[in-house]
Amino acid sequence: MKSLASSSALIGLLATLGAASAPASAVVIESFDGGSWGAGWSNNAAGAVNAGAAHDGAFGVTLDGGVWTYNTDFQFGEGSKLSAWVKPTAGSNGRVYLGFGADANGAQSFVGATNTGDIRFQDNPGYGFIELNTSSFQWTVDSWYLMEVDWLSGGLAIGNLYAADGSTLLASVRQDNLPRTCGGVALRGFNGWDLDTVSVNPLGCGGTPVPEPGSLALIALGLVGVGFRFGQRRKG
């Protein structure tokens, strides 16, 4: 009975550890729902906040002038995901940029492009551009998409594009050897893009990897086995 009790305690402990290891909820760092850009953005001329650009809530922003803006009040890095809702508007023939690792010296970005029919990564030193990997995609005007950067370790990022339901994966692109590992968020757009609800999960730099559920299960089984053998030895 003692061995069973020990096993139950170990399982309970692993369940608690698993709950503690679960990814934190995404933090919305800009919703535009105050009717203007929030604090910390370097250049509010990057786009006009308006009700017609809202995906959810009251307002979104139309990024139409090709001007970069960045915000370093929200630091995040490898191990985080950055996302935003985007929509190419009628007549769109441009690009929208979801920048990460951003500061005054530049960023790296996941780009949606109606002018070239693709998604892509760029490095943006000095807020210029160096084209990186691309993946073809045909955009539908006036449809919402969720753009997400999964910023993994070792300079690797995966850019995912989801449908309006936020879960159906439509296209993805991979980029290795990105130079930045932490920083703020940057935004840019030109020739007809709406954007709303910029989120990060989790905030902060230098986060530690979270064990996969399968790994936690194996650890649990191993500890239960140790508890059982310990109980058997006590009986002997």
Side-chain angles (χ1 to χ4, degrees), residues 72-191:
T72 56
D73 287 352
F74 304 97
Q75 294 283 305
F76 63 99
E78 293 182 338
S80 295
K81 292 183 180 182
L82 171 67
S83 66
W85 286 99
V86 302
K87 180 179 72 174
T89 58
S92 174
N93 187 31
R95 293 183 177 182
V96 64
Y97 298 73
L98 188 57
F100 55 106
D103 58 26
N105 299 313
Q108 48 208 8
S109 58
F110 179 38
V111 184
T114 50
N115 60 347
T116 48
D118 58 52
I119 56 175
R120 61 180 60 205
F121 278 105
Q122 287 185 354
D123 188 20
N124 307 105
Y127 289 104
F129 67 92
I130 300 170
E131 300 288 9
L132 302 173
N133 288 342
T134 67
S135 179
S136 296
F137 181 74
Q138 293 304 309
W139 298 83
T140 300
V141 170
D142 287 330
S143 293
W144 283 102
Y145 300 88
L146 182 66
M147 291 181 69
E148 178 191 78
V149 178
D150 192 357
W151 196 1
L152 303 170
S153 62
L156 169 64
I158 307 294
N160 292 318
L161 186 69
Y162 296 93
D165 60 7
S167 60
T168 301
L169 182 63
L170 301 175
S172 63
V173 60
R174 173 191 175 108
Q175 184 61 52
D176 296 286
N177 302 317
L178 286 167
R180 295 165 177 263
T181 59
C182 187
V185 62
L187 302 173
R188 179 184 187 238
F190 64 88
N191 290 355

Side-chain angles (χ1 to χ4, degrees), residues 9 11 26 28 30 34 36 42 50 61 65 78 89 96 108 112 117 145 165 167 184 200 205 224 231 233 235:
I11 292 170
V28 176
E30 182 58 87
S36 62
S42 64
N50 63 94
V61 65
E78 293 182 338
T89 58
V96 64
Q108 48 208 8
Y145 300 88
D165 60 7
S167 60
V200 175
C205 298
V224 168
R233 287 179 180 177
K235 285 182 180 180

